[in-house]
Amino acid sequence: MRVSWHAGERERWLGSVATLSTDEVRLRLGRVSPGSDTISEWVMTALAQVELARAEVYLRTSHVSSLVWSADPLLGLTAAHGAAVHDLVVDAAVRQPRHHAPAIAPFESPAVAALVAGWLRLRSRRRIALDWLHRHPDYAATALIPGAIGKARKARRTHAAALRTHAALGHTEAILAAAAAYHATAAVRELLDTDPAEIVPPRIAPLPQWLSIPELPPIVLAGGHRLPHDAVANLVTLMMMSEPGVPHAALARVGEHCDTTTLAAAAAAIFDQDGSSPAASCDLATRSPRKEIRT
């Protein structure tokens, strides 16, 4: 694990930390004992101005307070103490990603790479994840490959998708270089060459019993013909195969052949059937049909 700064970046973050007097630093740290459950921005500012030996016990044993609503204090602390802040940053990014996800920017670690792989699937944090891939192209390739070709199913799915995204960003050479170091060039090439639209889970769940395909509004093809009921059923299956907020690649191509207005109407009707049926617990509710089917 290491911290990688752009030219002048570390100095800018150090300069962003308010300068405190020695007495003020002593006062702030004196009010919060090492090992306290949470530390505030007030305390983090003081920790950024003491030697690592004194700050480390706080960094190792504390969480960032839920009242800290910006990643800036963490980045200032990272500028001061480097890799020692890693665990605090990762913990904060997991607990409060809305506020602290940007603090991962300079870090290179398996834990951060795993966060990025997951965040690529979330609209709210995808930009932060993409920025991290651009910033650490070689390390990202090295960190993502083991999960992408490993045996753990969830990691394989998220890391493989992240690796394809990394390639799409123009980092194929970095990926293949890392694959060669793992003696896994063939496996990685096959992964990159696989059409995402052809990727299906080992087990495809049946349509929920509460769903009535014939009662849905017709989905019209671009040429004006109605999509048959069995094709609509396949469409809903693709929707169920999607992750929340991340349509299956095959589903994302549907808009090329169907009228998007009728697609949206069908999605809304599915949502209404889902909400009105006591049997519909979470099979499609968690998939946000309106979002998954609309292009």
Side-chain angles (χ1 to χ4, degrees):
M1 188 274 295
R2 75 186 189 103
V3 180
S4 175
W5 297 103
H6 293 316
E9 184 183 20
R10 178 174 179 268
E11 290 72 21
R12 286 196 299 273
W13 281 114
L14 279 174
S16 73
V17 179
T19 302
L20 304 177
S21 67
T22 301
D23 288 343
E24 179 65 18
V25 169
R26 185 183 302 111
L27 172 68
R28 293 188 183 193
L29 297 186
R31 290 186 178 181
V32 181
S33 60
S36 295
D37 186 48
T38 61
I39 52 175
S40 64
E41 181 176 353
W42 192 71
V43 173
M44 284 192 280
T45 302
L47 289 175
Q49 296 176 53
V50 299
E51 64 281 3
L52 176 59
R54 187 175 178 190
E56 194 170 18
V57 65
Y58 292 90
L59 303 178
R60 285 191 291 102
T61 59
S62 302
H63 304 294
V64 174
S65 167
S66 60
L67 298 179
V68 179
W69 299 323
S70 167
D72 291 2
L74 277 171
L75 285 163
L77 199 54
T78 300
H81 297 306
V85 190
H86 172 269
D87 291 354
L88 185 68
V89 166
V90 170
D91 178 72
V94 170
R95 289 171 179 263
Q96 298 184 77
R98 179 181 177 184
H99 303 309
H100 302 307
I104 69 164
F107 287 97
E108 294 181 349
S109 75
V112 170
L115 283 178
V116 166
W119 289 352
L120 286 168
R121 310 172 76 83
L122 302 176
R123 190 174 306 169
S124 60
R125 287 184 281 286
R126 182 173 173 83
R127 172 48 53 192
I128 293 171
L130 291 172
D131 288 346
W132 188 86
L133 291 177
H134 274 307
R135 179 170 178 147
H136 308 279
D138 295 335
Y139 179 78
T142 299
L144 292 170
I145 285 174
I149 62 176
K151 294 182 178 181
R153 184 177 299 174
K154 182 178 180 180
R156 188 168 66 243
R157 183 174 67 249
T158 58
H159 285 60
L163 210 56
R164 292 190 190 95
T165 298
H166 200 38
L169 293 175
H171 302 303
T172 301
E173 288 188 11
I175 293 171
L176 293 178
Y182 286 118
H183 304 288
T185 301
V188 171
R189 279 190 180 277
E190 181 181 359
L191 184 154
L192 296 180
D193 291 342
T194 300
D195 183 350
E198 297 179 0
I199 299 173
V200 297
R203 177 183 175 276
I204 299 177
L207 297 180
Q209 292 183 355
W210 52 263
L211 179 64
S212 175
I213 296 293
E215 294 181 17
L216 298 177
I219 297 175
V220 180
L221 295 168
H225 298 289
R226 291 187 176 189
L227 205 62
H229 288 164
D230 58 346
V232 175
N234 291 337
L235 198 61
V236 176
T237 298
L238 285 174
M239 194 162 65
M240 294 173 63
M241 288 163 51
S242 301
E243 298 289 337
V246 186
H248 190 278
L251 182 64
R253 297 177 186 175
V254 168
E256 300 173 7
H257 306 287
C258 296
D259 174 75
T260 54
T261 301
T262 59
L263 276 174
I270 292 172
F271 185 84
D272 291 340
Q273 285 189 22
D274 181 1
S276 63
S277 169
S281 54
C282 64
D283 16 29
L284 284 186
T286 57
R287 302 300 182 190
S288 301
R290 296 178 193 268
K291 294 181 181 178
E292 302 299 351
I293 202 168
R294 185 176 294 159
T295 59

